[in-house]
């Protein structure tokens, strides 16, 4: 998987011109079959992860599944990234879980409602554009860490289990790898899951299944009721968790959307995706009860294994999940976890950017880029939190960038022929990282009385630079020198004029 450079587009062009519309899909039997089968695979891939994370949140497995249905369907209708799967996610569960343990499940509804409102405001205000500042090295680290986490999450399904699980595991892997050579009309993971489930049922094999993860009674629950006081104390309890839920969800969703953009060579509307996620979480807070965000593992399964490209695939996933929860709950309960684990392990292996960790690639890449990528992977894997890893990677990238840029300025000194004046020519961007060293580049005691500082090849970026220039002027004036600053571009001239002499 390669990460191509971003294409410069206008907001009006941020559509899905290469993605078939839902109407087009419904009119094309081939596309409809492809999108439907991709949705079925996605629904099956959602089940074990959603159920397992429900225990972290502290809610019933069925509650998490219902929330996932609501989230997936709402985002299929109004989301800004077709084919991206949204459901009750582990990263959100890790954030909500501690609050539930400390104060009870009754505070989940107001927390998710508050988080949804924040996400809507984030999208409406256009803040989703900040995602463009996430470096490529962080993106690659995010993808690689994700592959590790997805793979590792399946390992418990293969430990301390009956011996018959291992032949079933091998059979699932073989079918997923071999079946595409026979035909690609039906997704191989779907064939493998159905075949292995049929073998287990027909052979009356006793293996861990979906039903063993939690109650799978048929039917739908009613809407959630507000059960906590509507007062300032409740706000004090929920606001830290709500902020975390909002921004963790947005971060993972926007980064996943960026990844799907790369895989499908299409563009998504990040602002629309942000406010749509808020609307979906508000809906899920009242019916279901658990917040969610983009599920990158299941999204990869949809767009790479199932070849899903439109809203139809994720809408089908929501409908199939609804049917499994309500009508076919007994059948869903009999799906062996080993089949789902095998499929997700293959998804994990295809998710990792293997090219990025090849020795020859690592030799060619700048050390700073490799360090950022490895730091993102390490923090993500150790914390189990994708958002935390992304933040750590971005912060490290910023520090390394500032450090690198701080040393790119050059200062040339030229004394006039008669020795009566000196000109310093400064080249490179001036900001807090580089301008602090600028003060030490001048020979205050040795220079003649007339000093010219030429900034025609520099730009003044911040107040730290203005303060540094003021300090240079002050040092010279204390010695009776006359200082002139020339060559400022219009923006730098206006910025410098507004702040000079007013920062001390």
């Amino acid at each position: 998987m390669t990460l191509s450079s971003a294409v410069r587009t206008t907001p009006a062009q941020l559509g899905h011109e290469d993605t078939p519309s839902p109407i087009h899909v419904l009119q094309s039997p081939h596309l409809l079959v492809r999108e439907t089968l991709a949705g079925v695979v996605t629904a099956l891939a959602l089940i074990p992860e959603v159920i397992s994370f429900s225990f972290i949140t502290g809610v019933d497995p069925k509650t998490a599944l219902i929330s996932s249905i609501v989230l997936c369907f709402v985002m299929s209708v109004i989301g800004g990234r077709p084919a991206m799967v949204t459901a009750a996610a582990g990263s959100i569960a890790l954030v909500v879980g501690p609050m539930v343990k400390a104060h009870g499940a009754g505070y989940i509804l107001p927390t998710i409602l508050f988080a949804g409102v924040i996400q809507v405001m984030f999208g409406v205000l256009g803040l989703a554009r900040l995602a463009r500042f996430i470096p490529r090295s962080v993106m690659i680290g995010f993808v690689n860490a994700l592959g590790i986490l997805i793979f590792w999450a399946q390992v418990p399904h293969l430990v301390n289990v009956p011996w018959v699980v291992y032949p079933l595991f091998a059979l699932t892997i073989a079918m997923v790898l071999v079946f595409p050579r026979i035909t690609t009309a039906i997704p191989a993971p779907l064939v493998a899951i159905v075949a292995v489930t049929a073998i287990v049922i027909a052979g009356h094999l006793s293996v861990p299944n979906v039903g063993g993860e939690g109650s799978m009674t048929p039917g739908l629950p009613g809407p959630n009721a507000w059960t906590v006081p509507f007062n300032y104390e409740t706000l004090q309890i929920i606001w830290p968790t709500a902020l975390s839920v909002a921004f963790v969800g947005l971060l993972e969703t926007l980064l996943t959307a960026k990844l799907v953009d790369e895989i499908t060579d299409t563009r998504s509307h990040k602002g629309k995706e942000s406010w749509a996620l808020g609307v979906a979480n508000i809906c899920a807070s009242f019916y279901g009860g658990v917040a969610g965000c983009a599920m990158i593992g299941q999204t990869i399964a949809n767009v790479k294994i199932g070849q899903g490209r439109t809203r139809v695939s994720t809408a089908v996933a929501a409908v199939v999940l609804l049917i499994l929860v309500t009508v076919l709950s007994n059948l869903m309960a009999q799906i062996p976890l080993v089949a789902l684990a095998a499929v997700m392990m293959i998804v994990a292996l295809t998710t990792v950017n293997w090219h990025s960790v090849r020795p020859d690639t690592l030799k060619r890449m700048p050390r700073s880029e490799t360090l950022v990528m490895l730091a993102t992977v390490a923090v993500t894997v150790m914390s189990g939190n994708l958002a935390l890893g992304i933040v750590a990677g971005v912060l490290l990238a910023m520090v390394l960038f500032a450090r690198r840029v701080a040393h790119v300025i050059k200062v040339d000194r030229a004394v006039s022929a008669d020795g009566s004046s000196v000109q310093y020519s400064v080249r490179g961007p001036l900001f807090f990282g580089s301008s602090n060293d600028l003060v030490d580049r001048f020979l205050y005691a040795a220079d003649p009385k007339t000093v010219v500082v030429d900034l025609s090849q520099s730009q003044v970026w911040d107040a730290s630079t203005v303060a540094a220039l003021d300090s240079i002027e002050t040092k010279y004036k204390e010695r009776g020198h006359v200082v002139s600053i020339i060559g400022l571009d219009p923006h730098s001239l206006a910025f410098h004029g507004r702040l000079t002499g007013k920062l001390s």
Side-chain angles (χ1 to χ4, degrees):
M1 177 169 50
T2 60
L3 298 173
S4 59
S5 60
V7 179
R8 189 180 299 274
T9 56
T10 62
Q13 295 172 314
L14 293 179
H16 317 288
E17 58 275 3
D18 297 326
T19 301
S21 67
I23 295 177
H24 184 201
V25 172
L26 295 175
Q27 293 173 342
S28 170
H30 170 70
L31 291 178
L32 181 59
V33 170
R34 186 192 73 185
E35 297 296 311
T36 300
L37 294 177
V40 174
V41 172
T42 301
L44 294 175
L46 278 170
I47 294 170
E49 190 164 350
V50 170
I51 291 176
S52 62
F53 288 134
S54 68
F55 298 110
I56 299 175
T57 308
V59 300
D60 181 81
K62 192 167 184 179
T63 297
L65 289 170
I66 296 297
S67 297
S68 298
I69 294 169
V70 173
L71 290 162
C72 193
F73 186 77
V74 172
M75 293 300 286
S76 296
V77 176
I78 64 174
R81 174 64 263 177
M84 189 167 72
V85 181
T86 302
S91 56
I92 304 297
L94 291 171
V95 173
V96 175
M99 183 199 69
V100 174
K101 290 179 181 178
H103 303 285
Y107 287 94
I108 296 179
L109 190 154
T111 299
I112 305 310
L113 186 61
F114 190 10
V117 172
I118 294 172
Q119 290 170 335
V120 170
M121 293 174 60
F122 188 92
V124 170
L125 294 175
L127 299 178
R129 289 191 294 268
L130 296 174
R132 71 181 66 178
F133 297 110
I134 298 176
R136 179 181 182 275
S137 52
V138 175
M139 185 72 175
I140 294 175
F142 168 77
V143 170
N144 292 344
L146 173 71
I148 295 171
L149 289 177
I150 294 174
F151 190 93
W152 189 250
Q154 313 312 314
V155 172
H157 299 309
L158 300 175
V159 178
N160 297 323
V161 292
W163 68 269
V164 73
V165 165
Y166 300 107
L168 293 174
F169 175 78
L171 177 61
T172 306
I173 294 290
M175 293 186 70
V176 171
L177 297 178
V178 174
F179 192 79
R181 300 181 182 180
I182 301 173
T183 179
T184 56
I186 304 175
L190 177 59
V191 175
I193 292 170
V194 171
V196 172
T197 301
I199 292 172
V200 169
I201 294 175
H204 303 287
L205 302 179
S206 178
V207 297
N209 55 30
V210 171
E213 298 293 295
S215 174
M216 291 294 124
T217 55
L220 289 172
N224 295 329
W226 188 294
T227 60
V228 297
F230 192 81
N231 56 24
Y232 180 69
E233 183 179 352
T234 296
L235 180 62
Q236 285 183 307
I237 292 172
I238 68 171
W239 78 262
T241 305
L243 283 175
S244 298
V245 168
F247 289 112
V248 167
L250 284 168
L251 197 56
E252 290 202 27
T253 296
L254 294 175
L255 211 53
T256 304
K258 186 176 179 181
L259 179 61
V260 178
D261 290 351
E262 299 285 351
I263 294 173
T264 61
D265 290 325
T266 57
R267 303 289 292 169
S268 59
H269 194 309
K270 305 298 192 301
K272 184 178 181 181
E273 185 68 23
S274 298
W275 66 254
L277 178 64
V279 172
N281 276 322
I282 290 171
C283 294
S285 69
F286 285 107
Y287 197 81
V290 181
C293 63
M295 300 283 281
I296 187 165
Q298 285 68 22
T299 297
I300 296 296
N302 187 37
V303 299
K304 294 193 74 174
I305 294 180
Q307 295 299 309
R309 290 293 183 272
T310 72
R311 302 177 189 275
V312 174
S313 62
T314 49
V316 168
V319 172
V320 169
L321 202 56
L322 177 63
I323 294 172
L324 289 172
V325 169
T326 56
V327 180
L328 302 178
S329 57
N330 291 332
L331 177 61
M332 179 178 68
Q334 297 181 69
I335 298 174
L337 291 175
V338 63
L340 301 174
V343 169
M344 292 309 296
M345 281 185 166
I346 292 177
V347 169
L349 293 175
T350 59
T351 299
V352 173
N353 187 329
W354 295 104
H355 178 76
S356 68
V357 294
R358 287 169 51 180
D360 56 337
T361 302
L362 294 176
K363 287 180 181 179
R364 287 196 301 268
M365 290 295 293
R367 290 183 180 179
S368 59
E369 299 278 327
T370 301
L371 180 61
V372 169
M373 186 265 287
L374 294 176
T376 304
V377 172
V379 174
T380 301
V381 172
M382 288 189 294
S383 66
N385 189 326
L386 287 166
L388 188 60
I390 295 166
V391 171
V394 170
L395 290 177
L396 179 59
M398 290 171 60
V399 171
L400 293 176
F401 173 76
R403 181 175 179 273
R404 186 166 62 249
V405 174
H407 298 289
V408 300
I409 64 166
K410 296 185 180 298
V411 180
D412 297 323
R413 180 176 180 269
V415 180
S416 63
D418 59 4
S420 63
S421 64
V422 62
Q423 177 169 309
Y424 286 90
S425 298
V426 183
R427 289 176 291 164
L430 295 173
F431 68 111
F432 64 90
S434 60
S435 60
N436 288 331
D437 294 334
L438 183 64
V439 179
D440 300 325
R441 302 291 186 94
F442 293 80
L443 303 179
Y444 302 100
D447 283 340
K449 294 298 183 180
T450 302
V451 180
V452 178
V453 181
D454 183 5
L455 298 180
S456 58
Q457 299 182 66
S458 297
Q459 304 83 37
V460 176
W461 284 3
D462 60 9
S464 296
T465 301
V466 177
L469 293 173
D470 285 352
S471 177
I472 292 169
E473 288 190 78
T474 299
K475 288 179 180 293
Y476 275 120
K477 288 178 179 179
E478 287 175 349
R479 292 173 169 79
H481 293 56
V482 177
V483 182
S484 301
I485 297 177
I486 64 172
L488 287 171
D489 61 66
H491 173 77
S492 298
L493 183 62
F495 188 80
H496 179 266
R498 187 169 70 248
L499 295 180
T500 184
K502 301 175 183 177
L503 296 176
S504 60

